[in-house]
Amino acid sequence: MLRREWTCIGRLDEFGLAAAGHASPNRRAVVCYLGESVIVTADAAGALHAFANVCRHRGSQVVPVEPGIPAEPCSAKSLRCPYHSWTYGLDGRLLHAPHTDDIDLDTSRFGLQTLHAAAWGGFLWLTEDLEAPAVVDALHPVPERVRRYPLDTLVVGMRLTYSVAANWKVIAENYNECYHCGPVHPELSRLVPAFGDGGGADLAWDDGIPHRDGAWTFTVSGTTDRAPFPDLDEAERVRHKGELVYPNLLLSLSAEHVAAFVLRPTAVDRTEITCDLLFAPDESAKPEFDPSDAGDLWDLVNRQDWAICESVQRGMTSRYYTQGWFAPMEDASADIRRWLLPRLERHG
Ligand code: FES
Ligand SMILES: [Fe+2]
């Protein structure tokens, strides 16, 4: 099912495929996509392409990647397999197979196996579904709701990584409700009292969630020297917003930084998580830039979430587990079933 959906891979600039919100031409990167090695290119015009990292000759990786050692992104005009030098264009077509000029080899039949790549919000997205709708349409209504946040141009100021012993859906579901915020996140609930009040009921996510008096952003103190993003409306300058961008991107939007969580399911009970704290480039370029005021709070809250998600995973695995009952303030978390079930049916 995940292979038929757009899934988020990470930041385009991390893969050298864009800089400052603009596509970088003639680049290639190798990414991990749902357990597969995938080559992503930006061609001479900056258009993105993606291919299985498997040579159509005898199956060598076109860009050899040893497990656990990522290939550095680099400039490229073509892709040459190291085994027998079959050479592919950045659009995946087989350009040249050495010593075959006198032989009847139809190169058009041996292009690299294609996936669908796209950019939105400064993130790289992939799907195996070549008929998938444009990513901006598939992610509706999120792009419209976060339009005043300059996601395209933000840069990673701090990266937190976690390996969590829980299914990715447990993590997504947890992100989608604040019934747990009072018991699990006492510090966060002091910063954002609405999260704890009434079991996190009636949170007006569309308008943003207010902080306690005197606080306006997600940092340990609730304030910071960094400036809010310039195009935010009045409420967004002092409130917090959050979006679960199905299936695997969680966006927490503060006035001056964004926490972007990419979930990578690696097993039924294991999810690798990258939490990038994204900042305006002019703020992160300042000599005094120090993202730890946000990073310390996020790391605390994240570890609280992952610990409880691992507890849920262990409990759900018990032979005594039965589905309970959704409280009214968990309505939003039930969404994951509304999202999942029609897709499971559609994709067989
Ligand atoms: S396996 Fe790639 S050229 Fe032979
Ligand atoms: Fe939480």
Side-chain angles (χ1 to χ4, degrees):
M1 186 273 299
L2 288 173
R3 294 184 188 285
R4 307 291 297 174
E5 298 294 320
W6 285 108
T7 65
C8 184
I9 306 300
R11 296 294 291 171
L12 286 160
D13 56 358
E14 164 193 0
F15 301 121
L17 298 166
H22 296 288
S24 305
N26 292 321
R27 302 283 304 177
R28 76 108 178 93
V30 182
V31 304
C32 180
Y33 167 69
L34 298 172
E36 294 280 355
S37 181
V38 166
I39 299 173
V40 183
T41 63
D43 66 21
L48 294 175
H49 306 268
F51 319 101
N53 186 9
V54 179
C55 183
R56 290 297 307 282
H57 176 219
R58 276 180 37 219
S60 168
Q61 287 191 317
V62 177
V63 182
V65 193
E66 288 184 40
I69 306 175
E72 284 295 310
C74 65
S75 299
K77 294 240 162 86
S78 61
L79 304 163
R80 185 169 62 83
C81 178
Y83 200 174
H84 313 91
S85 292
W86 280 30
T87 301
Y88 303 88
L90 295 183
D91 60 0
R93 279 181 306 139
L94 177 60
L95 300 177
H96 181 59
H99 311 297
T100 59
D101 291 351
D102 304 333
I103 306 167
D104 187 20
L105 169 68
D106 180 1
T107 51
S108 70
R109 288 180 48 218
F110 292 99
L112 293 172
Q113 189 170 326
T114 303
L115 287 79
H116 200 165
W120 175 79
F123 297 97
L124 170 65
W125 300 79
L126 293 178
T127 176
E128 284 182 6
D129 182 1
L130 301 182
E131 309 291 312
V135 69
V136 68
D137 296 328
L139 302 183
H140 173 82
V142 173
E144 172 67 12
R145 279 158 41 148
V146 302
R147 65 188 181 281
R148 286 179 292 274
Y149 295 83
L151 289 171
D152 280 336
T153 56
L154 300 183
V155 297
V156 178
M158 181 182 269
R159 166 165 293 180
L160 305 165
T161 58
Y162 309 91
S163 180
V164 182
N167 185 275
W168 69 275
K169 297 188 293 299
V170 172
I171 296 163
E173 189 175 53
N174 172 73
Y175 186 76
N176 238 1
E177 51 92 356
C178 223
Y179 193 19
H180 75 274
C181 288
V184 173
H185 304 304
E187 301 83 358
L188 182 61
S189 297
R190 279 197 288 278
L191 176 64
V192 186
F195 282 169
D197 293 346
D202 304 323
L203 291 171
W205 284 106
D206 286 349
D207 305 327
I209 314 297
H211 301 75
R212 67 167 158 72
D213 281 349
W216 59 276
T217 189
F218 257 40
T219 59
V220 174
S221 68
T223 65
T224 182
D225 292 338
R226 292 181 295 273
F229 302 131
D231 297 331
L232 300 185
D233 66 22
E234 221 170 294
E236 287 164 341
R237 283 169 174 254
V238 292
R239 295 183 175 196
H240 190 77
K241 291 191 168 183
E243 298 284 350
L244 169 47
V245 191
Y246 285 112
N248 74 324
L249 175 65
L250 323 180
L251 287 178
S252 286
L253 305 135
S254 294
E256 47 71 45
H257 75 269
V258 172
F261 299 78
V262 176
L263 311 182
R264 293 186 180 81
T266 56
V268 68
D269 57 355
R270 179 64 63 177
T271 306
E272 306 296 326
I273 302 179
T274 304
C275 169
D276 282 334
L277 302 186
L278 307 174
F279 296 87
D282 55 342
E283 288 290 347
S284 71
K286 289 180 178 169
E288 68 272 20
F289 174 69
D290 177 5
S292 63
D293 54 353
D296 289 351
L297 178 67
W298 276 114
D299 193 43
L300 173 75
V301 172
N302 292 345
R303 288 176 192 281
Q304 292 166 336
D305 276 321
W306 312 152
I308 205 68
C309 288
E310 291 184 340
S311 170
V312 170
Q313 184 72 35
R314 291 193 298 271
M316 288 174 69
T317 312
S318 164
R319 60 196 296 264
Y320 301 116
Y321 168 72
T322 53
Q323 173 66 54
W325 168 83
F326 284 119
M329 40 290 203
E330 291 172 288
D331 270 0
S333 81
D335 272 349
I336 196 156
R337 287 158 182 82
R338 292 195 275 274
W339 185 86
L340 195 67
L341 293 175
R343 285 168 176 79
L344 286 176
E345 277 171 22
R346 199 184 314 149
H347 303 320

